[in-house]
Structures are given as C-alpha cells and as structure tokens.
Amino acid sequence: MTTITGRNGTPVLGIAGWKKSGKTTLTVRLVTELTRRGFRIATVKHAHHDLEIDASGTDSARHRRAGAAQVAVVSKERWALITELKGADEPDFPDVIGMLDPCDLIIVEGYKTAAIPKIEARRTASFTHEPMTPRDPLVIAVASDHDTETHGRPLFALDDIDGMVGLIMSRFGLGGQRGAIRAANDQS
C-alpha cells in the first residue's frame, strides 16, 4: 500500500483513535518532545465541526463576512490564511499535506482512514472501544492507558513519550538529536 508523504517525501504520522481516546494530549506531548530534540514538526488537525480561527469581532472576521474568499492575517509573531469554502468540499488530505512548509515530520491528528502510518490511541474513557488495528495495517503501534490486544503491534503506555519518540525516530529515519531541516537551516 502506498502511503501519503509531504513535500520532498516528508514522512507523515497519524495519531488516530476514537473520541476521548487521548489523541490531542498524545499529539501535543509528541510534538513537544520532538521539537525539544531539535526537529521541525508540522501538524494537521481534522475538525468535525465548524472551524472558527478568528473571533467574531475581529477585523479579519468582518472581512470574511463581507465576502472575501481568502483573508490573510499577519503579525510579527505568526500569520494565518483563512479560505472560505463557500459550499465547496473540504480539501483532500494529500492536498493539505502538500501545502505545508518543509519539515522533518508531519503529525496528523484525526483522518483515521488516511493512507499513513498511525499510532492508535486508546483510553478506558473513550466513547468507543473497538480497536482499529485489526482493520488497519498502517497502525504501527498502540498507545493505551490499559493492557489491551494490539494484534502484533508494539504497546506503549499513553505517557511513554520517550518510547514512542524512539519508535518514530527509528521508523522514519530521524536520527540524531537535531532535525534535518533545522541542521540545513543552520548551515545556510
């Protein structure tokens, strides 16, 4: 099975699971540790609700309500580009991945069915307890707060961030303590 990669073959890792399985906490902790080790990480979060990134009273929100198809909000700290779909379908997953700047790894929260390697998050508090591993050969590991069947995949405690980072670095060839993108930028 061909898996989706970012620009120039940037590896993509999914954090997948059912609602309340700990996906966001796991994603944040992995990003924190990988960036601490010097890697440049991009993330994609799939939202199942209406997305509002600019508060209703802001100038950019007023621009959107006035009919602008795209609004760029730029400051000295960050910038965002808001695109109104106006009834069009949301962008395809590979198109979203292709829009990201070069980095060492893209971590995706959600997109359970995407053709990417995934760590499946499981919690006893999850709304659903049906494992993804029997149906998805791209699940490379399971992170759980309880002992569980993994169908041959490695099992990590949800808080074993070092163990999962080790797996990620080995699986995606992220050697050393400094990310390739950061090291390349330091040389220029």
Side-chain angles (χ1 to χ4, degrees):
M1 172 184 291
T2 303
T3 59
I4 297 166
T5 60
R7 279 195 230 169
N8 302 320
T10 300
V12 179
L13 172 69
I15 305 300
W18 303 105
K19 188 171 184 172
K20 299 290 183 189
S21 63
K23 296 181 304 291
T24 300
T25 300
L26 180 55
T27 299
V28 167
R29 293 187 71 197
L30 289 171
V31 169
T32 299
E33 180 58 22
L34 286 161
T35 56
R36 186 192 70 74
R37 294 184 187 202
F39 295 101
R40 184 177 169 112
I41 306 298
T43 64
V44 175
K45 164 68 176 153
H46 189 250
H48 294 282
H49 50 79
D50 188 24
L51 177 64
E52 286 290 332
I53 63 168
D54 53 351
S56 62
T58 63
D59 293 346
S60 59
R62 293 177 63 199
H63 295 187
R64 281 189 308 107
R65 282 195 308 274
Q70 287 190 309
V71 177
V73 182
V74 182
S75 77
K76 66 180 180 177
E77 298 294 325
R78 67 191 54 86
W79 73 276
L81 178 63
I82 305 157
T83 302
E84 288 294 313
L85 294 176
K86 304 228 184 245
D89 292 337
E90 69 180 60
D92 290 334
F93 178 68
D95 293 337
V96 172
I97 295 297
M99 289 183 227
L100 298 173
D101 287 343
C103 60
D104 295 303
L105 177 69
I106 300 167
I107 298 180
V108 177
E109 182 185 338
Y111 289 101
K112 276 194 273 301
T113 61
I116 56 175
K118 301 169 192 80
I119 295 176
E120 179 183 352
R122 296 184 191 166
R123 284 181 61 228
T124 53
S126 173
F127 286 6
T128 304
H129 292 99
E130 180 183 349
M132 296 170 50
T133 52
R135 296 179 320 283
D136 190 344
L138 292 174
V139 173
I140 62 170
V142 175
S144 180
D145 68 353
H146 61 282
D147 193 28
T148 185
E149 171 60 47
T150 64
H151 300 272
R153 276 64 160 220
L155 175 63
F156 294 93
L158 269 171
D159 62 355
D160 184 5
I161 301 307
D162 283 337
M164 284 180 270
V165 166
L167 173 76
I168 292 165
M169 289 176 64
S170 172
R171 169 76 185 222
F172 298 112
L174 302 176
Q177 290 294 308
R178 297 172 51 75
I181 297 296
R182 188 175 197 170
N185 287 343
D186 288 350
Q187 292 175 0
S188 41

